[in-house]
Amino acid sequence: MKSLVKRYNWLTKVHFDKKSGFHYYDRYRYKVFIRHPRHYLPEKDIQWLCENIIYKHYLPKDADQVVDLGVGYGDEAVYLKNLSPQVKYLGVEAQPVIYECACNTFRQLGSHFSVSPFAVSNEKSLRFASQFGYAAVGDTDNGYIEIPTLTWPELLDRYHIAEIDLLKMNIEGAERHVLSSIVDFSKVKRLVVSCHDFRANHGDGESFRTKEFVTKTLSDNGYHVTFFNYGMDWSDDWIFASRI
């Protein structure tokens, strides 16, 4: 019965867009484009995540600059657009097919919402493998899809970003490498970071155990770190940090 209910939700909530070749669902007067109907996220789940974690301690407003590393399909951006339509939002998504979906989502949101296809890295290029599950990126060392990269300073320069009011990061264990590449945190007022110790605890590998490193890095760079305590491993691995 449970699987039948899930399939019923796909059939009633998810639609197919012939022009793009992607599926989509309606959210806050916009369309969120997804690779497959199984990637549908109920509105109540996104609302809980945004209200209780991502924007709990700071809701960007007016012309605030948001940078979202690991923007995915753009659900959190659509949520914010609905509440703070004037914010400037750069979503970064390195997985090519997810990036294309995000571009279809963002094109409805205005010119101040944009998507970047670059991975933030000091390496000249990276390689991913196709994975049906979004969280599986980085699970294999046998990547065959070349991903373009920018260093952190190059990213800010390319998109003309002088200051970041909120840096959101959900990049499946790569937060250690990205934070290590940021040599100057003075331009970043606040961060909300998904650490991935829960994946290490579930047997996905010790490389996902990042919470201690992220906490120390942010504390050492002058941030006050705030933790979440909802009793769920994935949610309690998020960290909010602020200089304000």
Side-chain angles (χ1 to χ4, degrees):
M1 179 61 70
K2 187 176 181 180
S3 62
L4 290 177
V5 171
K6 285 186 176 181
R7 180 157 180 77
Y8 177 76
N9 283 339
W10 299 344
L11 292 174
T12 58
K13 301 295 186 181
V14 177
H15 314 283
F16 182 71
D17 180 64
K18 292 182 179 179
K19 186 174 182 179
S20 68
F22 291 119
H23 296 83
Y24 70 91
Y25 50 86
D26 296 310
R27 186 64 42 86
Y28 305 118
R29 300 176 288 111
Y30 302 103
K31 296 176 181 178
V32 176
F33 286 80
I34 56 178
R35 178 184 179 187
H36 189 277
R38 286 188 64 181
H39 293 175
Y40 167 76
L41 288 175
E43 182 176 334
K44 62 181 180 61
D45 292 351
I46 286 297
Q47 184 170 335
W48 189 94
L49 178 65
C50 290
E51 291 180 354
N52 294 281
I53 294 181
I54 296 177
Y55 305 124
K56 176 179 175 61
H57 296 292
Y58 185 74
L59 179 69
K61 58 186 182 303
D62 301 326
D64 278 359
Q65 175 69 64
V66 178
V67 174
D68 186 346
L69 304 186
V71 69
Y73 293 127
D75 292 275
E76 294 93 342
V78 170
Y79 175 91
L80 187 58
K81 170 71 176 182
N82 188 54
L83 295 178
S84 302
Q86 300 306 315
V87 298
K88 294 176 290 185
Y89 200 112
L90 174 66
V92 179
E93 182 50 59
Q95 294 189 65
V97 66
I98 310 299
Y99 164 73
E100 189 174 351
C101 287
C103 287
N104 280 280
T105 299
F106 272 54
R107 68 187 294 266
Q108 312 159 85
L109 306 182
S111 59
H112 49 301
F113 279 70
S114 59
V115 192
S116 169
F118 297 94
V120 177
S121 175
N122 291 330
E123 301 293 328
K124 291 185 177 180
S125 68
L126 301 174
R127 290 184 180 272
F128 289 172
S130 292
Q131 299 282 357
F132 179 71
Y134 179 80
V137 62
D139 282 358
T140 176
D141 293 327
N142 298 316
Y144 46 85
I145 303 171
E146 188 169 3
I147 305 300
T149 63
L150 289 175
T151 65
W152 177 252
E154 288 172 341
L155 181 79
L156 300 186
D157 183 63
R158 183 182 182 93
Y159 295 100
H160 310 293
I161 296 174
E163 191 172 62
I164 299 172
D165 295 283
L166 181 66
L167 171 61
K168 175 234 171 186
M169 194 179 303
N170 186 7
I171 47 180
E172 304 304 328
E175 53 271 11
R176 180 194 303 272
H177 304 292
V178 170
L179 288 176
S180 296
S181 71
I182 300 177
V183 295
D184 180 10
F185 283 87
S186 64
K187 296 181 179 181
V188 183
K189 293 181 179 179
R190 307 168 190 86
L191 302 93
V192 58
V193 181
S194 175
C195 303
H196 289 79
D197 292 41
F198 69 95
R199 291 196 61 179
N201 294 337
H202 294 172
D204 291 340
E206 285 302 305
S207 62
F208 288 100
R209 197 174 301 282
T210 59
K211 191 172 185 178
E212 182 178 352
F213 173 85
V214 171
T215 301
K216 184 177 187 306
T217 299
L218 297 180
S219 296
D220 288 349
N221 281 279
Y223 292 94
H224 173 72
V225 175
T226 302
F227 300 101
F228 297 89
N229 186 26
Y230 294 110
M232 299 176 286
D233 55 1
W234 68 268
S235 64
D236 294 355
D237 272 349
W238 281 84
I239 290 173
F240 177 79
S242 176
R243 293 181 180 275
I244 308 301

